[in-house]
Amino acid sequence: MDRHPDPDRAGGVPGAASPETPPLSSLFQQLVLEHYKKPRNRGELPGADVDVRMNNPSCGDTVRLQLRFDSDRIAEARFLGDGCSISQASVSMMTQVLEGKTVAEARGLIERMKAMMRGDADAARDKALGDLRALAGVHRFPVRVRCALLGWNALEEALRQAFG
């Protein structure tokens, strides 16, 4: 069953068909598809310090995020999940950028990602987000913002459970 009736569900990026889409967007589409098809840090994390499951009730996408900490740093991040290219690519990219970050840095990334999803152009240029900047165009499709933020909401809950 296709939970996403829009073209993105077929593996593209929202806005890809728009005549206003800049040519660079095709590079970003490839990056999103690459993370979707070959997700990084996918799998279980034995000995995880925190294990959070989230779902997007509007489409049924799921993410299970597991983190292992070394003091106040994220030593390892792994995920399992099912869903559209946006949700799964976003969490794949998120786990890559998280490893080695302090809890404060991770919380800062959460805020930057949420700002980017609100259309904040400065956040979309923030190199701290790494590959996640490929999702900057998602803000134009509010229903897809929930997909992009699913893993980030899991991260926010994981940090709350682990550090308050």
Side-chain angles (χ1 to χ4, degrees):
M1 181 177 116
D2 188 356
R3 294 174 289 189
H4 298 274
D6 64 10
D8 175 56
R9 185 62 179 133
V13 172
S18 169
E20 300 153 8
T21 303
L24 194 56
S25 68
S26 64
L27 177 63
F28 293 150
Q29 290 173 21
Q30 290 175 0
L31 188 57
V32 170
L33 287 175
E34 183 184 311
H35 275 273
Y36 177 63
K37 292 178 180 175
K38 295 179 183 173
R40 281 57 157 194
N41 300 316
R42 184 176 178 86
E44 292 218 21
L45 180 60
D49 294 310
V50 65
D51 186 340
V52 172
R53 296 168 196 256
M54 289 269 169
N55 74 315
N56 182 346
S58 64
C59 65
D61 288 3
T62 63
V63 166
R64 177 182 177 198
L65 179 67
Q66 296 178 307
L67 301 175
R68 191 177 61 74
F69 300 100
D70 180 11
S71 186
D72 75 332
R73 287 195 183 275
I74 298 172
E76 291 182 83
R78 297 289 180 272
F79 81 99
L80 293 169
D82 183 42
C84 69
S85 59
I86 298 297
S87 71
Q88 301 304 297
S90 179
V91 72
S92 172
M93 292 184 234
M94 180 188 82
T95 59
Q96 281 195 304
V97 76
L98 282 180
E99 290 187 347
K101 296 284 191 274
T102 65
V103 170
E105 290 169 333
R107 286 184 167 140
L109 289 171
I110 292 168
E111 293 310 312
R112 295 303 279 171
M113 183 66 179
K114 287 184 175 182
M116 187 172 77
M117 288 298 108
R118 289 190 302 266
D120 183 320
D122 288 337
R125 288 188 293 268
D126 188 341
K127 292 183 178 182
L129 290 175
D131 288 350
L132 287 152
R133 292 177 297 158
L135 298 169
V138 172
H139 80 275
R140 291 179 280 162
F141 303 87
V143 74
R144 304 314 306 272
V145 168
R146 285 182 175 190
C147 298
L149 291 178
L150 183 61
W152 293 88
N153 291 334
L155 173 62
E156 193 167 43
E157 177 60 21
L159 296 179
R160 188 195 64 73
Q161 287 181 16
F163 296 96

